[in-house]
Amino acid sequence: MRILVLTAICLMSAISRVAAADPLDGNWAFYGGDAGGSRYSPLDQINKTNVTELKPAWELHTGDVSDGSDGRPKSEFEGTPIVVGGTMYLSTPFNRVLALDPETGTEKWNFDPKIDLKEHYSEGLVNRGVTFWSDLSGTDGGSCHQRIFLATIDARLFALDASTGRPCADFGVRGQIDLKEGITNIKRRGEYEETSAPAVIDDLVIVGSSIADNDRVNSPDGAVRAYDARSGMLRWSWHPIERALAPTGAGNVWSTISVDARRGLVFVPTGSASPDYHGVKRPGDNKWANSVVALSAKTGELVWGFQLVHHDLWDYDTAAQPVLATLRRDGRDTPVVIQGNKTGNLFILNRETGQPVFAVEERPVPKSDSEGEDAAPTQPFPLSPPVLAAQQLTAKDAWGINPEEREACRTRLERLRTDGIFTPPSVQGTVAFPGNLGGMNWSSGAFDQKRQIFVTNINNLPMEVHLIPRDQYKPVENAAQQGTLRAEVSPQHGTPYGMSREVLHSPLGFPCNPPPWGELVAVDLSNGSIRWRVPLGTTADMIKNPANIVRGTPNLGGPIVTAGGLTFIASAMDNYLRAFDTETGAELWRGRLPSGGQAMPATYLAGYNGKQFIVIAAGGHGKLGTNLGDSVIAYSLP
């Protein structure tokens, strides 16, 4: 056998029934590296002394890319491979699953769920990854004893034989489950989707959902559901919002779920209640939307919840995967959940109780001036760590590459409400800063346990948000559809207002706030301080005039950290994979990518001698506007 990666996963029943490989084996067994999403690898062959020698080892072209020109949505290659037992498993934007030799990139098998590539999916053509599960209850080696779970953009859950890619006939109906069944208020195709890898714990596979934003009050139910990993039978459901309290939907878990097998807990990051920018029909805090919630793995019952944003009016989803870690502080080890948010606030919570480890205070925030809106009077702010992203933008802060650009931005800002973070949307127009891209988005962060350093990428990107009175909405929608209005618009049916949002930009298209517009930030969790922050990426791939190049671009993807003292990340709008010194933030290496790297990398061992590889999907992102492609690239030392 050519791959020297240990395959003794089935011997781990003493730990859990989760298909979890010991990271020391050189696997990357889950989307987030481990079941708790730490994004950490103990591998150190590639380290600060030799990272400059990294070279491409292999490149695979999946063939799955769409630029939107033929009626299909644009593709977004956000997938991160997993590597288990000598095989790499990867999902493409077309939701196909590929099994590869991790040393060479040679295909072993592929599976095509045959989604409708011309359907109008609210999230575009995207899939972030798959999940491996091993059945530890029976005899090794049988068909579907080891399974790959895939949740597709058209809301189906597949169980595939990990060795062949064939659907497992005993799961659901011929290997699949229709996840739309049992969900209320689905009114059209493409508004209820799956974009993230399922979670597994014991003999359960757990999924949330992605639900179209801003369409109406009574959006589909945002239930989290657990299915029997063998049969596909529904075992439990948890609903983030009680419909008896408000006739609203969503609050859904569209990002990645984390699990703690030893404690029997499932950690879900919830999105906003529907619609995002007006809450007249959903009074109160709307618990448990915009929260991190711990559920019992056995029953799905609520163990604890912590709400990061009350009565969300800004699309401030809890989009980042909860990171489970052990905090070393005051001579004691405390199990914690590290939870970021699009606001740029970072919360450190006790994993068993949900209580803040660093103090959190409720502070007064601006009131709403829109009809019927009862905005939350206060919002939670952690006293430490400090806020990771900028939260205030006024006319005096206007930026431009020349005086004319700066003056145009200043004039635009003067017309808008700019009372700081949590300023409610208005008919006049409101600056939402950070905007709905974050702060922290689905990229999440990575935790180096030894160094007690948490690293994450953030966005400093303002949005201009308008509430549009119902009798004025249709002409605005028509203008957006015809391309004469650059803003994104949504009807918000059931409220007095539609809405529009767009990046607050200058005439030349530059954001109106001072750069950097994207950063990589390291937090020292031993004392709750910012260790370092650096601009992430440059605009050199988009702007040819060297005088106008800016450091720090908007970004989507995410970092990983390794025992070699390195943080690897692409994510920015230039086409590079970079390695940073985890302790200092110094950029030590960068490798050119053929397309945008809006995906989290992974690292693993492969080959006779157990060589360390770094792999990333480089296929760009249709919505972010980076170069599109279909590459998967692995790097190693010579």
Side-chain angles (χ1 to χ4, degrees):
M1 185 177 181
R2 300 182 66 191
I3 308 301
L4 191 64
V5 177
L6 300 182
T7 59
I9 296 169
C10 296
L11 301 178
M12 299 183 65
S13 57
I15 298 176
S16 164
R17 289 185 179 181
V18 177
D22 185 338
L24 292 175
D25 290 347
N27 290 317
W28 189 267
F30 295 84
Y31 170 83
D34 56 48
S38 74
R39 293 157 163 78
Y40 171 80
S41 170
L43 302 181
D44 61 3
Q45 285 182 19
I46 302 169
N47 54 56
K48 290 187 279 188
T49 67
N50 60 21
V51 67
T52 56
E53 300 175 33
L54 275 182
K55 303 292 182 185
W58 56 260
E59 180 175 354
L60 171 78
H61 292 280
T62 70
D64 291 3
V65 59
S66 171
D67 64 4
S69 62
D70 60 354
R72 300 183 300 190
K74 289 184 177 180
S75 55
E76 302 168 15
F77 203 172
E78 299 178 357
T80 293
I82 60 174
V83 180
V84 184
T87 299
M88 175 182 291
Y89 304 95
L90 172 74
S91 61
T92 75
F94 291 3
N95 288 225
R96 290 194 308 127
V97 180
L98 307 180
L100 309 175
D101 180 326
E103 183 186 10
T104 65
T106 303
E107 184 177 302
K108 295 183 176 183
W109 56 257
N110 71 79
F111 170 76
D112 187 353
K114 293 182 170 54
I115 66 169
D116 183 349
L117 295 176
K118 293 192 175 182
E119 181 62 73
H120 174 71
Y121 301 109
S122 63
E123 294 299 322
L125 290 173
V126 63
N127 191 282
R128 295 192 186 97
V130 297
T131 305
F132 178 92
W133 179 79
S134 185
D135 188 347
L136 302 178
S137 66
T139 304
D140 295 355
S143 175
C144 285
H145 173 73
Q146 295 180 332
R147 301 184 177 199
I148 296 296
F149 288 107
L150 166 72
T152 60
I153 192 72
D154 59 1
R156 290 177 290 163
L157 177 63
F158 286 87
L160 309 176
D161 187 318
S163 62
T164 67
R166 298 189 192 93
C168 299
D170 58 350
F171 183 85
V173 179
R174 294 184 294 278
Q176 64 176 292
I177 296 170
D178 184 352
L179 294 175
K180 297 185 293 298
E181 291 186 2
I183 298 297
T184 58
N185 289 339
I186 299 177
K187 294 187 177 180
R188 61 174 174 81
R189 295 178 64 186
E191 72 168 348
Y192 186 87
E193 307 164 345
E194 300 287 338
T195 56
S196 297
V200 290
I201 182 169
D202 297 327
D203 58 354
L204 298 177
V205 54
I206 303 169
V207 294
S209 60
S210 179
I211 295 174
D213 290 339
N214 305 323
D215 182 67
R216 60 185 186 275
V217 169
N218 61 336
S219 285
D221 181 8
V224 177
R225 290 174 290 176
Y227 294 89
D228 188 293
R230 301 181 188 88
S231 69
M233 293 291 293
L234 181 65
R235 297 272 287 274
W236 55 255
S237 296
W238 176 76
H239 302 269
I241 300 173
E242 291 291 341
R243 286 188 177 268
L245 301 178
T248 187
N252 50 298
V253 179
W254 61 266
S255 188
T256 308
I257 295 169
S258 295
V259 304
D260 182 337
R262 188 167 75 84
R263 292 176 173 83
L265 295 176
V266 177
F267 296 89
V268 296
T270 63
S272 50
S274 62
D276 289 349
Y277 290 88
H278 202 268
V280 64
K281 293 293 181 66
R282 48 177 176 88
D285 284 349
N286 308 142
K287 289 179 178 177
W288 289 102
N290 303 92
S291 303
V292 57
V293 173
L295 305 176
S296 164
K298 289 184 178 180
T299 66
E301 294 176 319
L302 177 73
V303 176
W304 59 258
F306 185 91
Q307 191 170 55
L308 283 63
V309 177
H310 310 315
H311 193 77
D312 182 20
L313 299 173
W314 308 270
D315 194 12
Y316 281 158
D317 295 335
T318 305
Q321 179 182 10
V323 175
L324 308 188
T326 300
L327 179 64
R328 199 174 305 121
R329 186 167 176 246
D330 300 329
R332 293 182 299 174
D333 285 350
T334 303
V336 297
V337 180
I338 305 170
Q339 187 63 68
N341 186 261
K342 290 182 180 181
T343 59
N345 292 329
L346 186 68
F347 297 84
I348 317 299
L349 309 173
N350 185 294
R351 199 187 311 173
E352 297 174 336
T353 67
Q355 293 299 308
V357 174
F358 296 102
V360 174
E361 67 178 14
E362 292 283 337
R363 298 177 188 169
V365 291
K367 296 181 178 180
S368 174
D369 60 6
S370 68
E371 176 189 345
E373 183 61 80
D374 188 14
T378 65
Q379 293 287 353
F381 290 83
L383 300 187
S384 58
V387 62
L388 304 189
Q391 295 183 333
Q392 175 76 48
L393 180 65
T394 64
K396 66 181 177 60
D397 304 312
W399 180 90
I401 60 172
N402 56 46
E404 294 77 18
E405 286 277 284
R406 183 167 58 252
E407 180 60 21
C409 281
R410 187 190 64 78
T411 300
R412 188 169 181 177
L413 278 161
E414 283 182 335
R415 298 196 298 263
L416 304 172
R417 283 196 69 181
T418 58
D419 300 329
I421 192 170
F422 298 119
T423 301
S426 61
V427 174
Q428 170 189 348
T430 291
V431 176
F433 192 48
N436 61 296
L437 193 64
M440 286 179 67
N441 208 296
W442 59 265
S443 312
S444 194
F447 184 63
D448 187 319
Q449 181 70 49
K450 178 181 178 182
R451 296 173 176 86
Q452 292 284 291
I453 295 175
F454 177 75
V455 184
T456 186
N457 49 312
I458 59 99
N459 288 298
N460 299 305
L461 198 64
M463 301 296 287
E464 178 177 338
V465 178
H466 287 264
L467 294 178
I468 306 168
R470 182 61 56 203
D471 60 357
Q472 301 173 29
Y473 175 74
K474 197 61 180 177
V476 177
E477 183 181 64
N478 291 338
Q481 291 173 346
Q482 295 165 6
T484 58
L485 177 69
R486 294 179 61 177
E488 175 189 359
V489 301
S490 294
Q492 301 194 133
H493 293 302
T495 76
Y497 302 97
M499 60 78 64
S500 70
R501 66 183 180 194
E502 63 178 316
V503 174
L504 183 62
H505 60 82
S506 72
L508 290 179
F510 291 95
C512 281
N513 61 303
W517 302 311
E519 296 177 277
L520 189 64
V521 184
V523 180
D524 188 333
L525 287 188
S526 64
N527 55 29
S529 65
I530 302 294
R531 180 75 169 259
W532 51 260
R533 61 193 314 145
V534 296
L536 182 58
T538 78
T539 59
D541 279 346
M542 300 169 283
I543 300 171
K544 300 308 178 185
N545 184 350
N548 294 337
I549 291 175
V550 172
R551 295 181 67 228
T553 77
N555 55 84
L556 287 171
I560 65 170
V561 293
T562 73
L566 298 172
T567 296
F568 288 95
I569 187 170
S571 300
M573 294 185 71
D574 56 4
N575 302 333
Y576 288 99
L577 174 64
R578 291 177 165 89
F580 294 86
D581 185 321
T582 300
E583 294 181 304
T584 69
E587 183 180 318
L588 303 179
W589 170 85
R590 59 179 176 173
R592 188 67 169 168
L593 301 173
S595 302
Q598 279 66 60
M600 181 180 66
T603 187
Y604 59 91
L605 296 181
Y608 281 118
N609 299 319
K611 177 181 284 191
Q612 184 180 356
F613 291 79
I614 309 291
V615 66
I616 188 167
H621 196 282
K623 290 180 182 176
L624 197 61
T626 55
N627 293 345
L628 298 179
D630 65 347
S631 294
V632 182
I633 303 176
Y635 295 84
S636 66
L637 298 173

